[in-house]
Amino acid sequence: MKKNKSYLRAVFDATPDAMLISNEKGIITMVNQQVEHLLGYPSNELLGLSIEVLVPERFRATHHTLREYFAALAGTRSMGAGLTVKALRQDGSELDVEISLSPIQTQQGLFFASALRDITERKRMEAELKASATKFRSVIEICPIPLVLHDEQMNITFLNRSFMQTFGYSVDDVPTLADWRQKAYPDPDYRHWVETTWHTSLEKAKQEQSDFPPLEVAIHCKNNSIKTVLVSAAEMHHDFTGEYLVILYDITQRKQIEVKLNAIFNASVEGIITCDMSNIIVSANTAIETILGHKPEELVGCGINKFIHSSPRETNYCREPHAGQPVGNIQEVKGIHKNGAVVPLELSTAEYLIDNAHYFTHIVRDVSLRKYREQQDKEHLDALAHVTRLGLMSEMASGIAHEINQPMAAISTYTQVSLNLISTENHDRVKLSEILYKTQQQALRAGRIIHRMREFVKPHAKQRSSADVNTLIYAAVDLCMAELKQNSVRLTFDLENNLPPVYVDHVQIEQVLINLIRNSVEALQNLPEKQHRYLTIDSRLTLDNCIQVRVKDNGSGLNEDQQQKILTPFYTTKPDGMGMGLSISCSLIEAHEGILHFNSQPGKGTTFYFTLPICTN
């Protein structure tokens, strides 16, 4: 018997839980060593004390139930389920313990074996889990994206606020996924497609261990409106048989914007072509068919160079631009129509990135009609310029006739002298040769004047070539020399040497110079006879690499009203003028990519000046 008691004591002490035995009144009669570790009391100090000393004082009034529990166990003689209580340690600290009671009937009476287990860590973990769950629920509750939780039985366990605001349904409306699909996709065929696609995507993601790909669907809301959403799912467990968090991204507004942009894209009268880095067309709008004759779907997958060719002077417009910026300026290129015809186009390009991939969008405009109108305008300008030149020659006819009459009179005189020398018996051959040489020079001079007049007044096709602007100035002055002499105008030059050449139509620039010179001469005619009349022509290279030519006089100048109107068509200060000279001159200079302007001060004279770009070839 003594041996059995020793065995039971050893088992009692070896138990990992804190164990104590109390009698029917709750007086502690035995404790094991784990009690000391758990509560801090030495074993001998607890013997003879009530078990309630281990309960914090604020809870003792409620532990009458503990005595009742003891009494109940005494009647059943069975193991009691654990009670969770606060235990008081010797140092006054508290901890959570779980107590299991078991009645023991002995010859000395009824006793109770109590097992105390420290559940502080378990309580902490439970609190953390509860806080985590609360936090998780709070996060998905305030999330602006509609979210759904469902279990493996397809019961919907949670809908966040955004879901209910977006679609109008509550958990009571859609307690299961079947109810949700019935209402969200009322069309049976569409619902079948959604369910089939959903399950196929799930199985594929499971097999490939990849993310669930978003599925774009149209959802009928409770108010009968339709939302376009991207639906994806995140598994809450490690396999596809557990709970899922379903995310629904509302892209209705984005889709509406896409519809608007597509409408604008296809309604644009300009062609829009998007290419990748390999110049392969990935999209085109419907305007392309009008411009190039190809349907958009015929272009997709083809190289853009098959339909749009750069002009020889262009660089490749599709290579390595800065991201997010236009690529170069508007360029003129040649498009190839489906019927083989060449279509003149203007092209502008922008580059952008999508998923780190470069794309180029080209805007192409058919400029055939504009080119045709420009050509008509140029021909009309040439015709007006020709008429103006004829008018200039008509007005200058008297002076030019005088210029020609001088060499013709000299020729007649030299010829008569030559005849007289020949008729003598011993004529001077050296003197005769000198006179004949002078006759030849006068004939050449007359020929040059007539030739220059013919070149100036005859119609000619637009023909540009490199020229020295100073040479053009001298040629124009030669044709105006008679008027300069007749009006006693003192002409001076201030021409910069070694100027770069300009690429111009010689006759048209000479026409501008003659117009400006004659305008200055006419302005100088109004000066008193005794006042000196000065005309200065100068040329120089500007800081922006243009050639500037100035024609300056010391005439009466222009008043404020004349300055406002002098360059407008049909305005003239002359009684018999047409008002086209300066207007046509302005157009001719602009056609050469230059500008014509003036400065004038009443009583101090006027300076007309124009610029021409230098030849870059």
Side-chain angles (χ1 to χ4, degrees), residues 400-423:
I400 292 173
H402 177 72
E403 286 292 301
I404 297 175
N405 189 54
Q406 287 182 343
M408 295 303 293
I411 290 170
S412 176
T413 301
Y414 290 147
T415 303
Q416 185 60 50
V417 171
S418 298
L419 290 173
N420 292 338
L421 285 173
I422 293 172
S423 63

Side-chain angles (χ1 to χ4, degrees), residues 20 36 42 133 136 175 333 339 384 391 432 463 558:
L20 57 84
E36 183 174 349
F136 173 71
V333 298
N339 60 13
L384 287 176
L432 180 60
Q463 185 174 0
L558 302 172

Side-chain angles (χ1 to χ4, degrees), residues 174-188:
V174 285
T176 67
L177 283 182
D179 296 317
W180 160 249
R181 289 170 179 166
Q182 188 78 23
K183 293 182 178 180
Y185 319 115
D187 185 291

Side-chain angles (χ1 to χ4, degrees), residues 361-528:
T361 292
H362 307 289
I363 311 297
V364 294
R365 307 167 191 85
D366 185 352
V367 293
S368 302
L369 181 59
R370 194 193 74 191
K371 288 286 186 181
Y372 173 73
R373 289 175 176 172
E374 286 178 355
Q375 184 61 34
Q376 282 190 320
D377 290 342
K378 289 176 182 177
E379 291 175 358
H380 183 60
L381 178 61
D382 288 342
L384 287 176
H386 180 235
V387 171
T388 304
R389 289 196 296 275
L390 291 175
L392 286 172
M393 285 293 101
S394 176
E395 295 175 8
M396 297 165 61
S398 176
I400 292 173
H402 177 72
E403 286 292 301
I404 297 175
N405 189 54
Q406 287 182 343
M408 295 303 293
I411 290 170
S412 176
T413 301
Y414 290 147
T415 303
Q416 185 60 50
V417 171
S418 298
L419 290 173
N420 292 338
L421 285 173
I422 293 172
S423 63
T424 62
E425 292 183 2
N426 297 313
H427 55 268
D428 189 342
R429 295 176 61 87
V430 174
K431 190 173 183 179
L432 180 60
S433 297
E434 291 176 356
I435 294 173
L436 290 175
Y437 175 76
K438 291 179 180 180
T439 304
Q440 179 194 35
Q441 292 303 309
Q442 292 297 325
L444 291 175
R445 177 186 173 193
R448 282 196 297 270
I449 294 173
I450 295 171
H451 176 74
R452 190 173 295 120
M453 288 175 57
R454 290 183 58 193
E455 286 297 314
F456 186 71
V457 299
K458 75 177 182 180
H460 69 288
K462 180 180 177 182
Q463 185 174 0
R464 295 188 183 185
S465 60
S466 297
D468 175 53
V469 74
N470 292 342
T471 302
L472 298 179
I473 292 172
Y474 288 128
V477 168
D478 281 348
L479 288 174
C480 298
M481 190 57 69
E483 288 187 87
L484 293 170
K485 291 179 180 179
Q486 290 171 6
N487 292 282
S488 303
V489 177
R490 183 178 177 182
L491 175 65
T492 58
F493 294 99
D494 185 12
L495 308 179
E496 186 174 324
N497 295 323
N498 301 318
L499 288 172
V502 289
Y503 189 72
V504 297
D505 184 309
H506 297 210
V507 173
Q508 290 183 350
I509 300 304
E510 287 177 12
Q511 179 178 353
V512 172
L513 287 164
I514 291 172
N515 274 330
L516 299 182
I517 293 169
R518 294 194 73 250
N519 283 346
S520 292
V521 170
E522 290 171 359
L524 293 170
Q525 288 174 349
N526 298 323
L527 295 178

